mmCIF file of all heavy atoms in Angstrom:
data_model
loop_
_atom_site.group_PDB
_atom_site.id
_atom_site.type_symbol
_atom_site.label_atom_id
_atom_site.label_comp_id
_atom_site.label_asym_id
_atom_site.label_seq_id
_atom_site.Cartn_x
_atom_site.Cartn_y
_atom_site.Cartn_z
ATOM 1 N N VAL Z 1 53.504 118.565 6.920
ATOM 2 C CA VAL Z 1 54.177 119.726 7.524
ATOM 3 C C VAL Z 1 53.294 120.957 7.379
ATOM 4 O O VAL Z 1 53.208 121.785 8.288
ATOM 5 C CB VAL Z 1 55.571 119.946 6.895
ATOM 6 C CG1 VAL Z 1 56.235 121.189 7.452
ATOM 7 C CG2 VAL Z 1 56.457 118.743 7.127
ATOM 8 N N LYS Z 2 52.599 121.068 6.229
ATOM 9 C CA LYS Z 2 51.660 122.182 6.056
ATOM 10 C C LYS Z 2 50.559 122.130 7.096
ATOM 11 O O LYS Z 2 50.202 123.146 7.692
ATOM 12 C CB LYS Z 2 51.058 122.147 4.650
ATOM 13 C CG LYS Z 2 50.073 123.254 4.373
ATOM 14 C CD LYS Z 2 49.448 123.109 2.997
ATOM 15 C CE LYS Z 2 48.358 124.138 2.800
ATOM 16 N NZ LYS Z 2 47.598 123.904 1.571
ATOM 17 N N SER Z 3 50.054 120.938 7.369
ATOM 18 C CA SER Z 3 49.017 120.793 8.392
ATOM 19 C C SER Z 3 49.566 121.145 9.769
ATOM 20 O O SER Z 3 48.885 121.782 10.573
ATOM 21 C CB SER Z 3 48.474 119.360 8.398
ATOM 22 O OG SER Z 3 47.809 119.093 7.185
ATOM 23 N N LEU Z 4 50.821 120.751 10.055
ATOM 24 C CA LEU Z 4 51.443 121.095 11.326
ATOM 25 C C LEU Z 4 51.591 122.592 11.492
ATOM 26 O O LEU Z 4 51.312 123.154 12.551
ATOM 27 C CB LEU Z 4 52.805 120.407 11.454
ATOM 28 C CG LEU Z 4 53.607 120.740 12.707
ATOM 29 C CD1 LEU Z 4 52.886 120.213 13.944
ATOM 30 C CD2 LEU Z 4 55.002 120.193 12.606
ATOM 31 N N VAL Z 5 52.002 123.273 10.429
ATOM 32 C CA VAL Z 5 52.150 124.742 10.488
ATOM 33 C C VAL Z 5 50.784 125.391 10.722
ATOM 34 O O VAL Z 5 50.661 126.325 11.534
ATOM 35 C CB VAL Z 5 52.810 125.272 9.189
ATOM 36 C CG1 VAL Z 5 52.719 126.769 9.096
ATOM 37 C CG2 VAL Z 5 54.251 124.817 9.127
ATOM 38 N N ILE Z 6 49.750 124.896 10.051
ATOM 39 C CA ILE Z 6 48.399 125.454 10.248
ATOM 40 C C ILE Z 6 47.957 125.253 11.683
ATOM 41 O O ILE Z 6 47.404 126.169 12.317
ATOM 42 C CB ILE Z 6 47.409 124.810 9.245
ATOM 43 C CG1 ILE Z 6 47.698 125.322 7.837
ATOM 44 C CG2 ILE Z 6 45.972 125.107 9.649
ATOM 45 C CD1 ILE Z 6 46.906 124.619 6.760
ATOM 46 N N ILE Z 7 48.214 124.088 12.251
ATOM 47 C CA ILE Z 7 47.836 123.815 13.632
ATOM 48 C C ILE Z 7 48.606 124.705 14.590
ATOM 49 O O ILE Z 7 48.044 125.262 15.541
ATOM 50 C CB ILE Z 7 48.025 122.331 13.960
ATOM 51 C CG1 ILE Z 7 46.996 121.485 13.205
ATOM 52 C CG2 ILE Z 7 47.931 122.067 15.452
ATOM 53 C CD1 ILE Z 7 47.260 120.002 13.254
ATOM 54 N N LEU Z 8 49.906 124.878 14.377
ATOM 55 C CA LEU Z 8 50.714 125.727 15.251
ATOM 56 C C LEU Z 8 50.261 127.186 15.216
ATOM 57 O O LEU Z 8 50.113 127.829 16.261
ATOM 58 C CB LEU Z 8 52.192 125.628 14.881
ATOM 59 C CG LEU Z 8 52.886 124.322 15.209
ATOM 60 C CD1 LEU Z 8 54.314 124.335 14.659
ATOM 61 C CD2 LEU Z 8 52.911 124.093 16.702
ATOM 62 N N ILE Z 9 50.013 127.705 14.016
ATOM 63 C CA ILE Z 9 49.603 129.104 13.891
ATOM 64 C C ILE Z 9 48.214 129.306 14.460
ATOM 65 O O ILE Z 9 47.956 130.257 15.223
ATOM 66 C CB ILE Z 9 49.693 129.570 12.429
ATOM 67 C CG1 ILE Z 9 51.152 129.644 12.005
ATOM 68 C CG2 ILE Z 9 48.996 130.910 12.231
ATOM 69 C CD1 ILE Z 9 51.376 129.928 10.553
ATOM 70 N N THR Z 10 47.293 128.404 14.151
ATOM 71 C CA THR Z 10 45.921 128.539 14.654
ATOM 72 C C THR Z 10 45.877 128.347 16.175
ATOM 73 O O THR Z 10 45.177 129.069 16.884
ATOM 74 C CB THR Z 10 45.014 127.523 13.978
ATOM 75 O OG1 THR Z 10 45.172 127.612 12.561
ATOM 76 C CG2 THR Z 10 43.563 127.781 14.318
ATOM 77 N N GLY Z 11 46.649 127.397 16.678
ATOM 78 C CA GLY Z 11 46.700 127.189 18.129
ATOM 79 C C GLY Z 11 47.309 128.371 18.849
ATOM 80 O O GLY Z 11 46.845 128.754 19.923
ATOM 81 N N GLY Z 12 48.352 128.966 18.271
ATOM 82 C CA GLY Z 12 48.934 130.165 18.866
ATOM 83 C C GLY Z 12 47.970 131.334 18.867
ATOM 84 O O GLY Z 12 47.886 132.078 19.858
ATOM 85 N N TRP Z 13 47.261 131.494 17.758
ATOM 86 C CA TRP Z 13 46.251 132.551 17.701
ATOM 87 C C TRP Z 13 45.169 132.312 18.745
ATOM 88 O O TRP Z 13 44.711 133.256 19.420
ATOM 89 C CB TRP Z 13 45.647 132.635 16.314
ATOM 90 C CG TRP Z 13 44.421 133.487 16.294
ATOM 91 C CD1 TRP Z 13 43.129 133.067 16.205
ATOM 92 C CD2 TRP Z 13 44.371 134.907 16.443
ATOM 93 N NE1 TRP Z 13 42.295 134.131 16.278
ATOM 94 C CE2 TRP Z 13 43.014 135.271 16.418
ATOM 95 C CE3 TRP Z 13 45.326 135.898 16.595
ATOM 96 C CZ2 TRP Z 13 42.600 136.592 16.539
ATOM 97 C CZ3 TRP Z 13 44.894 137.210 16.711
ATOM 98 C CH2 TRP Z 13 43.560 137.543 16.681
ATOM 99 N N ALA Z 14 44.745 131.069 18.893
ATOM 100 C CA ALA Z 14 43.695 130.755 19.874
ATOM 101 C C ALA Z 14 44.151 131.086 21.282
ATOM 102 O O ALA Z 14 43.412 131.704 22.058
ATOM 103 C CB ALA Z 14 43.316 129.276 19.766
ATOM 104 N N ALA Z 15 45.371 130.690 21.611
ATOM 105 C CA ALA Z 15 45.889 130.970 22.957
ATOM 106 C C ALA Z 15 46.003 132.471 23.203
ATOM 107 O O ALA Z 15 45.622 132.957 24.278
ATOM 108 C CB ALA Z 15 47.246 130.302 23.138
ATOM 109 N N ALA Z 16 46.489 133.208 22.219
ATOM 110 C CA ALA Z 16 46.630 134.664 22.379
ATOM 111 C C ALA Z 16 45.273 135.347 22.509
ATOM 112 O O ALA Z 16 45.108 136.264 23.319
ATOM 113 C CB ALA Z 16 47.416 135.240 21.199
ATOM 114 N N ALA Z 17 44.302 134.930 21.698
ATOM 115 C CA ALA Z 17 42.985 135.551 21.745
ATOM 116 C C ALA Z 17 42.288 135.266 23.076
ATOM 117 O O ALA Z 17 41.671 136.156 23.672
ATOM 118 C CB ALA Z 17 42.137 135.073 20.577
ATOM 119 N N ILE Z 18 42.375 134.029 23.551
ATOM 120 C CA ILE Z 18 41.743 133.691 24.828
ATOM 121 C C ILE Z 18 42.436 134.442 25.955
ATOM 122 O O ILE Z 18 41.775 134.986 26.864
ATOM 123 C CB ILE Z 18 41.736 132.172 25.042
ATOM 124 C CG1 ILE Z 18 40.801 131.508 24.027
ATOM 125 C CG2 ILE Z 18 41.345 131.816 26.454
ATOM 126 C CD1 ILE Z 18 40.892 130.006 23.983
ATOM 127 N N TRP Z 19 43.763 134.510 25.915
ATOM 128 C CA TRP Z 19 44.506 135.244 26.956
ATOM 129 C C TRP Z 19 44.105 136.712 26.940
ATOM 130 O O TRP Z 19 43.890 137.322 27.988
ATOM 131 C CB TRP Z 19 45.997 135.089 26.735
ATOM 132 C CG TRP Z 19 46.813 135.879 27.693
ATOM 133 C CD1 TRP Z 19 47.102 135.558 28.990
ATOM 134 C CD2 TRP Z 19 47.409 137.151 27.451
ATOM 135 N NE1 TRP Z 19 47.867 136.552 29.551
ATOM 136 C CE2 TRP Z 19 48.073 137.547 28.624
ATOM 137 C CE3 TRP Z 19 47.464 137.989 26.345
ATOM 138 C CZ2 TRP Z 19 48.761 138.739 28.728
ATOM 139 C CZ3 TRP Z 19 48.163 139.185 26.444
ATOM 140 C CH2 TRP Z 19 48.797 139.546 27.624
ATOM 141 N N ALA Z 20 43.983 137.307 25.754
ATOM 142 C CA ALA Z 20 43.606 138.715 25.655
ATOM 143 C C ALA Z 20 42.195 138.949 26.185
ATOM 144 O O ALA Z 20 41.930 139.937 26.871
ATOM 145 C CB ALA Z 20 43.716 139.192 24.208
ATOM 146 N N ALA Z 21 41.290 138.038 25.878
ATOM 147 C CA ALA Z 21 39.904 138.204 26.340
ATOM 148 C C ALA Z 21 39.809 138.100 27.857
ATOM 149 O O ALA Z 21 38.991 138.778 28.470
ATOM 150 C CB ALA Z 21 39.021 137.145 25.679
ATOM 151 N N VAL Z 22 40.645 137.277 28.448
ATOM 152 C CA VAL Z 22 40.600 137.103 29.894
ATOM 153 C C VAL Z 22 41.279 138.248 30.643
ATOM 154 O O VAL Z 22 40.791 138.709 31.667
ATOM 155 C CB VAL Z 22 41.226 135.729 30.280
ATOM 156 C CG1 VAL Z 22 41.413 135.608 31.769
ATOM 157 C CG2 VAL Z 22 40.367 134.597 29.754
ATOM 158 N N THR Z 23 42.398 138.742 30.126
ATOM 159 C CA THR Z 23 43.213 139.699 30.891
ATOM 160 C C THR Z 23 42.969 141.155 30.558
ATOM 161 O O THR Z 23 43.342 142.021 31.352
ATOM 162 C CB THR Z 23 44.701 139.408 30.682
ATOM 163 O OG1 THR Z 23 45.023 139.533 29.296
ATOM 164 C CG2 THR Z 23 45.047 138.018 31.171
ATOM 165 N N MET Z 24 42.377 141.489 29.431
ATOM 166 C CA MET Z 24 42.217 142.886 29.048
ATOM 167 C C MET Z 24 40.909 143.429 29.592
ATOM 168 O O MET Z 24 39.879 143.432 28.930
ATOM 169 C CB MET Z 24 42.282 143.037 27.538
ATOM 170 C CG MET Z 24 43.595 142.675 26.944
ATOM 171 S SD MET Z 24 43.614 142.972 25.186
ATOM 172 C CE MET Z 24 45.109 143.878 25.036
ATOM 173 N N GLY Z 25 40.962 143.933 30.808
ATOM 174 C CA GLY Z 25 39.766 144.427 31.482
ATOM 175 C C GLY Z 25 39.296 145.779 30.979
ATOM 176 O O GLY Z 25 38.165 146.175 31.229
ATOM 177 N N GLU Z 26 40.151 146.504 30.256
ATOM 178 C CA GLU Z 26 39.751 147.843 29.796
ATOM 179 C C GLU Z 26 38.881 147.813 28.550
ATOM 180 O O GLU Z 26 38.342 148.833 28.148
ATOM 181 C CB GLU Z 26 40.998 148.712 29.555
ATOM 182 C CG GLU Z 26 41.866 148.284 28.394
ATOM 183 C CD GLU Z 26 42.931 147.280 28.780
ATOM 184 O OE1 GLU Z 26 42.968 146.855 29.945
ATOM 185 O OE2 GLU Z 26 43.733 146.916 27.917
ATOM 186 N N LEU Z 27 38.721 146.654 27.935
ATOM 187 C CA LEU Z 27 37.860 146.552 26.756
ATOM 188 C C LEU Z 27 36.401 146.414 27.169
ATOM 189 O O LEU Z 27 36.083 145.958 28.266
ATOM 190 C CB LEU Z 27 38.270 145.331 25.912
ATOM 191 C CG LEU Z 27 39.658 145.361 25.277
ATOM 192 C CD1 LEU Z 27 39.922 144.041 24.569
ATOM 193 C CD2 LEU Z 27 39.802 146.525 24.330
ATOM 194 N N PHE Z 28 35.514 146.774 26.249
ATOM 195 C CA PHE Z 28 34.097 146.550 26.493
ATOM 196 C C PHE Z 28 33.811 145.058 26.532
ATOM 197 O O PHE Z 28 34.525 144.264 25.942
ATOM 198 C CB PHE Z 28 33.262 147.216 25.398
ATOM 199 C CG PHE Z 28 33.329 148.705 25.416
ATOM 200 C CD1 PHE Z 28 33.894 149.398 24.358
ATOM 201 C CD2 PHE Z 28 32.851 149.442 26.491
ATOM 202 C CE1 PHE Z 28 33.972 150.768 24.368
ATOM 203 C CE2 PHE Z 28 32.912 150.809 26.502
ATOM 204 C CZ PHE Z 28 33.480 151.488 25.442
ATOM 205 N N ILE Z 29 32.743 144.682 27.204
ATOM 206 C CA ILE Z 29 32.424 143.273 27.369
ATOM 207 C C ILE Z 29 32.135 142.605 26.021
ATOM 208 O O ILE Z 29 32.497 141.438 25.807
ATOM 209 C CB ILE Z 29 31.262 143.068 28.380
ATOM 210 C CG1 ILE Z 29 31.104 141.597 28.754
ATOM 211 C CG2 ILE Z 29 29.959 143.594 27.803
ATOM 212 C CD1 ILE Z 29 32.222 141.088 29.591
ATOM 213 N N LEU Z 30 31.527 143.334 25.076
ATOM 214 C CA LEU Z 30 31.270 142.779 23.756
ATOM 215 C C LEU Z 30 32.580 142.485 23.023
ATOM 216 O O LEU Z 30 32.731 141.431 22.391
ATOM 217 C CB LEU Z 30 30.404 143.727 22.933
ATOM 218 C CG LEU Z 30 30.086 143.278 21.522
ATOM 219 C CD1 LEU Z 30 29.254 141.986 21.537
ATOM 220 C CD2 LEU Z 30 29.363 144.343 20.732
ATOM 221 N N GLN Z 31 33.544 143.415 23.126
ATOM 222 C CA GLN Z 31 34.840 143.198 22.501
ATOM 223 C C GLN Z 31 35.536 141.962 23.095
ATOM 224 O O GLN Z 31 36.078 141.140 22.370
ATOM 225 C CB GLN Z 31 35.728 144.412 22.661
ATOM 226 C CG GLN Z 31 35.290 145.606 21.848
ATOM 227 C CD GLN Z 31 36.102 146.847 22.177
ATOM 228 O OE1 GLN Z 31 36.397 147.105 23.343
ATOM 229 N NE2 GLN Z 31 36.451 147.597 21.150
ATOM 230 N N ARG Z 32 35.533 141.881 24.418
ATOM 231 C CA ARG Z 32 36.164 140.746 25.073
ATOM 232 C C ARG Z 32 35.465 139.444 24.685
ATOM 233 O O ARG Z 32 36.122 138.431 24.463
ATOM 234 C CB ARG Z 32 36.132 140.923 26.581
ATOM 235 C CG ARG Z 32 37.035 142.059 27.052
ATOM 236 C CD ARG Z 32 36.930 142.310 28.520
ATOM 237 N NE ARG Z 32 37.509 141.159 29.249
ATOM 238 C CZ ARG Z 32 37.414 141.018 30.557
ATOM 239 N NH1 ARG Z 32 36.800 141.914 31.290
ATOM 240 N NH2 ARG Z 32 37.963 139.976 31.145
ATOM 241 N N GLY Z 33 34.147 139.482 24.592
ATOM 242 C CA GLY Z 33 33.409 138.285 24.204
ATOM 243 C C GLY Z 33 33.719 137.843 22.787
ATOM 244 O O GLY Z 33 33.906 136.654 22.517
ATOM 245 N N LEU Z 34 33.801 138.788 21.861
ATOM 246 C CA LEU Z 34 34.103 138.436 20.482
ATOM 247 C C LEU Z 34 35.524 137.956 20.308
ATOM 248 O O LEU Z 34 35.789 137.019 19.550
ATOM 249 C CB LEU Z 34 33.808 139.630 19.556
ATOM 250 C CG LEU Z 34 32.326 139.990 19.418
ATOM 251 C CD1 LEU Z 34 32.163 141.256 18.576
ATOM 252 C CD2 LEU Z 34 31.537 138.836 18.820
ATOM 253 N N ILE Z 35 36.458 138.583 21.021
ATOM 254 C CA ILE Z 35 37.850 138.111 20.970
ATOM 255 C C ILE Z 35 37.941 136.707 21.542
ATOM 256 O O ILE Z 35 38.598 135.822 20.990
ATOM 257 C CB ILE Z 35 38.777 139.098 21.712
ATOM 258 C CG1 ILE Z 35 38.892 140.408 20.936
ATOM 259 C CG2 ILE Z 35 40.157 138.489 21.920
ATOM 260 C CD1 ILE Z 35 39.617 141.505 21.706
ATOM 261 N N GLY Z 36 37.267 136.470 22.652
ATOM 262 C CA GLY Z 36 37.239 135.134 23.244
ATOM 263 C C GLY Z 36 36.594 134.107 22.324
ATOM 264 O O GLY Z 36 37.060 132.973 22.235
ATOM 265 N N LEU Z 37 35.527 134.514 21.639
ATOM 266 C CA LEU Z 37 34.850 133.618 20.707
ATOM 267 C C LEU Z 37 35.768 133.218 19.556
ATOM 268 O O LEU Z 37 35.820 132.046 19.172
ATOM 269 C CB LEU Z 37 33.574 134.276 20.173
ATOM 270 C CG LEU Z 37 32.779 133.453 19.159
ATOM 271 C CD1 LEU Z 37 32.238 132.189 19.817
ATOM 272 C CD2 LEU Z 37 31.651 134.303 18.587
ATOM 273 N N THR Z 38 36.511 134.189 18.997
ATOM 274 C CA THR Z 38 37.447 133.836 17.928
ATOM 275 C C THR Z 38 38.526 132.903 18.451
ATOM 276 O O THR Z 38 38.959 131.996 17.732
ATOM 277 C CB THR Z 38 38.087 135.079 17.296
ATOM 278 O OG1 THR Z 38 38.794 135.795 18.292
ATOM 279 C CG2 THR Z 38 37.054 135.963 16.646
ATOM 280 N N GLY Z 39 38.957 133.107 19.692
ATOM 281 C CA GLY Z 39 39.958 132.189 20.269
ATOM 282 C C GLY Z 39 39.414 130.782 20.431
ATOM 283 O O GLY Z 39 40.097 129.808 20.137
ATOM 284 N N VAL Z 40 38.191 130.675 20.913
ATOM 285 C CA VAL Z 40 37.596 129.339 21.100
ATOM 286 C C VAL Z 40 37.378 128.654 19.751
ATOM 287 O O VAL Z 40 37.678 127.467 19.594
ATOM 288 C CB VAL Z 40 36.260 129.466 21.879
ATOM 289 C CG1 VAL Z 40 35.482 128.167 21.845
ATOM 290 C CG2 VAL Z 40 36.537 129.895 23.300
ATOM 291 N N LEU Z 41 36.908 129.391 18.753
ATOM 292 C CA LEU Z 41 36.723 128.806 17.421
ATOM 293 C C LEU Z 41 38.043 128.387 16.795
ATOM 294 O O LEU Z 41 38.129 127.347 16.152
ATOM 295 C CB LEU Z 41 35.971 129.778 16.527
ATOM 296 C CG LEU Z 41 34.505 130.045 16.899
ATOM 297 C CD1 LEU Z 41 33.914 131.113 15.994
ATOM 298 C CD2 LEU Z 41 33.695 128.772 16.856
ATOM 299 N N ALA Z 42 39.095 129.201 16.974
ATOM 300 C CA ALA Z 42 40.412 128.832 16.459
ATOM 301 C C ALA Z 42 40.938 127.583 17.178
ATOM 302 O O ALA Z 42 41.549 126.727 16.545
ATOM 303 C CB ALA Z 42 41.378 130.003 16.618
ATOM 304 N N ALA Z 43 40.677 127.480 18.479
ATOM 305 C CA ALA Z 43 41.113 126.302 19.224
ATOM 306 C C ALA Z 43 40.384 125.045 18.727
ATOM 307 O O ALA Z 43 40.989 123.980 18.587
ATOM 308 C CB ALA Z 43 40.885 126.501 20.718
ATOM 309 N N ILE Z 44 39.086 125.180 18.470
ATOM 310 C CA ILE Z 44 38.312 124.047 17.939
ATOM 311 C C ILE Z 44 38.879 123.623 16.589
ATOM 312 O O ILE Z 44 39.036 122.419 16.323
ATOM 313 C CB ILE Z 44 36.831 124.410 17.850
ATOM 314 C CG1 ILE Z 44 36.232 124.533 19.245
ATOM 315 C CG2 ILE Z 44 36.059 123.382 17.024
ATOM 316 C CD1 ILE Z 44 34.837 125.114 19.277
#
């Protein structure tokens, strides 16, 4: 159950970070890239 909770929280964070990197056009490209990178790493 602990592993399931870790997967759910990390997967939710990954989805939110990737969504933010894709949709937040007002951020600088470096910020969007780093947010997207954290999302991809969390998904992995």
